[in-house]
Each structure stands twice: as structure tokens, then as C-alpha cells.
Amino acid sequence: MNIPYRPLALGLVALAFSAVVLQRAQAGGDDYFPPVVDPLVKEECGSCHIAFAPSMLPARSWQRMMGNLKDHFGDDASLDADTAARISSYLVTNAADTGGKRYSSKLLRGLAPNRAPLRITELPKWVSEHREVPAWEWKHKDVRTKANCVACHADAERGFYED
Amino acid sequence: MCRKLAIPLCIVATILSTSLFAGPREDLLTQYATAAKTETPTFSGFSAARGKTLHTHKFAGGKPDTPACTACHGENPRGAGRTLTGKDIEAVAASVTPKRYTDPAKVEKWFKRNCKEVLGRECTVLEKGDWLSYMLSQ
């Protein structure tokens, strides 16, 4: 493969593919998870993947994650202590069981209070919402990983997951 | 001059001496050049051609998913890239994305992360200067 990123071709493939997935996702409710607005968090936590909404994980999960950025799912996402503390405080304040509570009561359903998962994609409710997504879709080259929310939820960065 | 001064002082001195007539990118390259001279006395300047090789070479020491810089930044520096988690990356060529390489802390942060990812170690100052020269030439 000489030119891995041919935007046009990729766009067309993505379009064709999302048509398939969208049909299924559209059946969902009106879940809204306010996107990150803090520019520092957007910059530092939104370059490798979308800046995940703080209301998608409980405060204890964010604390655990921010405690080890050096090994962040195998990547080095480390930051200087001051920046990390500011980001941590934003995430914890707007977490699923603190400031973001009214958006996320459903998403935390089934999560034991003593568990602090690092992945949204491991929450019992997330898993059950996605149980009908077939294996080939996860492996599709425009998806590759469950963490690639935008591949199926085009408006994920604006906080909408119903489509 | 820099041999005699402590390194932080030296960097400050370099910035002061060049910032009057150069932008932050040139300052950064000058800083890298100064450090390269200290690292290798035979250093005779950065090479965009070596930078290009570094950008496209497939290394074995890093992560299997990201053997080369091109895995995320694409083969063509003037085109957009994409991370493995599906996030678009603006082109790394300075001519296409003019705000690039103007924040030295950002440049250093990503060199550190991405070199570890691809080469399994941090890049040398020579590699950083070569790569940056390539991108500034694009």
C-alpha cells in the first residue's frame, strides 16, 4: 500500500460502511453525554482518540487512569504533574457519579461500586448496548477498535450517541 | 560557548541570540543543532533526506502496530493522517499546517511519545533535527 490515506476513497468507503451501521444505531434512545469543553483536556486527551466525555466513567475510574498515564493502554500519555492535576480535577468534577450524574445513570447501571474500570467499553451497560454489533463490524478497517466511537456514532464528539 | 555554559543557560542564550530575527521553529532547530554538536563533535548539519528516511523506515523495536511514523502520519507529509483509534491528524508538513512546530514543548512531548512507539526508544537529537528539517522543507 503506497498511499494509505486517500481521503476521497476512504470517505466513500466510510460512507458506504456507516450506512450499514447507522441503520441499526438509529433505533436507539436520546443519550447525550456533554463533550469536553476545557481546551486543555481537549488538547491533551483528544489527540490520539476523541476526548471521551467525563460523564462516561465514574470519578474513581478517572482517578485511577490519571494515576498512571505513563502506561496508558500501552501508550505513554504522561504529562507534567501540574497539567495532569488540572485535567484530573476536570474529569472528576464532571464524572458519571458527580457533576455528570444526570446524563449517565443508565450507563453506570450494573457496575459494582467497588470497581473502577478504565474502559467505557467494559461497562456492563456499554457491553449490553453493543451486543448486537457483529464481530466483522468491530474488525472492519474503518473501525479497528471499540474505542473508535466516531466510526459508528458520527456525532460522538458533540456528545450524541443515538445515531 | 555552550561547552562552558551550563546546558539550560546555553539554551537560553541560544534562544536569545536567535529570537531577534527568527521564528520559534528556527529557534528550535538551532537548539537541536547546538545539542547535536555536543552529542557528536563531527556533526555537520541536519539533513531533510535523512529525515525522510526516518519518517518512512520500518523499525522493529517499537510496537508491531506502528512500525513507522507513516502508520499515523501517512506516507505523504502533505496529506492528513489518522491514529489507530480513528482520530484524524492534520498534515505534518509545515507548509500545509502552518501552526506546527511553533510550540517547542508540544514538539518535544510528541517526539518522546512517538519515537518510543515506533523505535522503542527516544529519538536522538540528530534524528529530531533531521525529521524536523524534512517537515519544514515540505
Side-chain angles (χ1 to χ4, degrees):
Chain A
M1 203 167 55
N2 275 329
I3 315 165
Y5 301 111
R6 267 179 296 188
L8 186 64
L10 197 78
L12 288 176
V13 171
L15 215 65
F17 169 68
S18 44
V20 176
V21 180
L22 280 186
Q23 276 175 349
R24 217 155 320 144
Q26 248 145 17
D30 54 348
D31 288 29
Y32 173 63
F33 298 87
V36 168
V37 289
D38 185 313
L40 181 72
V41 182
K42 253 199 224 166
E43 162 83 17
E44 301 298 348
C45 305
S47 304
C48 297
H49 43 62
I50 62 162
F52 295 111
S55 58
M56 291 197 140
L57 284 175
R60 57 187 186 274
S61 291
W62 293 121
Q63 273 155 343
R64 200 179 139 215
M65 182 177 297
M66 294 306 292
N68 183 11
L69 287 179
K70 203 152 177 67
D71 181 5
H72 178 75
F73 305 93
D75 273 24
D76 180 354
S78 52
L79 297 164
D80 63 82
D82 189 45
T83 310
R86 282 173 57 197
I87 292 175
S88 190
S89 135
Y90 178 84
L91 295 171
V92 165
T93 309
N94 297 289
D97 52 350
T98 55
K101 209 169 189 157
R102 65 199 169 104
Y103 304 105
S104 43
S105 50
K106 269 206 315 206
L107 192 59
L108 285 202
R109 209 170 279 166
L111 180 70
N114 62 343
R115 289 206 48 230
L118 293 180
R119 285 185 182 275
I120 299 158
T121 55
E122 276 172 3
L123 296 171
K125 179 71 179 165
W126 190 95
V127 174
S128 70
E129 287 283 359
H130 294 83
R131 68 184 177 275
E132 279 170 25
V133 178
W136 70 264
E137 265 176 32
W138 295 125
K139 290 202 207 89
H140 190 283
K141 72 172 190 43
D142 285 331
V143 179
R144 296 193 51 152
T145 156
K146 292 176 182 171
N148 187 0
C149 319
V150 274
C152 307
H153 302 284
D155 267 341
E157 279 182 288
R158 261 159 294 168
F160 295 103
Y161 287 87
E162 79 270 32
D163 61 343
Chain B
M1 168 183 94
C2 284
R3 294 265 165 78
K4 288 194 201 124
L5 295 172
I7 294 216
L9 262 184
C10 167
I11 290 172
V12 170
T14 316
I15 291 172
L16 284 180
S17 66
T18 52
S19 59
L20 292 176
F21 46 85
R25 290 173 178 156
E26 288 73 22
D27 289 348
L28 188 61
L29 263 188
T30 314
Q31 246 170 272
Y32 284 155
T34 313
K37 254 174 251 162
T38 328
E39 228 169 60
T40 0
T42 55
F43 171 77
S44 63
F46 294 124
S47 142
R50 279 198 309 256
K52 181 175 184 173
T53 309
L54 173 68
H55 188 63
T56 53
H57 183 79
K58 288 195 161 54
F59 293 89
K63 290 199 206 152
D65 277 353
T66 52
C69 307
T70 54
C72 295
H73 291 300
E75 206 81 25
N76 173 10
R78 293 201 190 90
R82 202 154 86 115
T83 68
L84 303 185
T85 15
K87 180 88 192 177
D88 289 334
I89 307 178
E90 288 178 291
V92 275
S95 63
V96 181
T97 316
K99 66 169 187 286
R100 284 218 180 276
Y101 319 117
T102 51
D103 172 359
K106 175 174 180 184
V107 177
E108 276 292 299
K109 180 178 71 191
W110 287 103
F111 265 136
K112 188 166 161 234
R113 281 179 185 161
N114 295 343
C115 288
K116 271 203 254 167
E117 195 105 339
V118 172
L119 293 84
R121 60 165 172 81
E122 289 195 26
C123 283
T124 63
V125 89
L126 183 69
E127 287 166 332
K128 292 195 263 192
D130 286 346
W131 192 88
L132 196 56
S133 304
Y134 173 50
M135 292 314 165
L136 295 182
S137 77
Q138 287 297 297

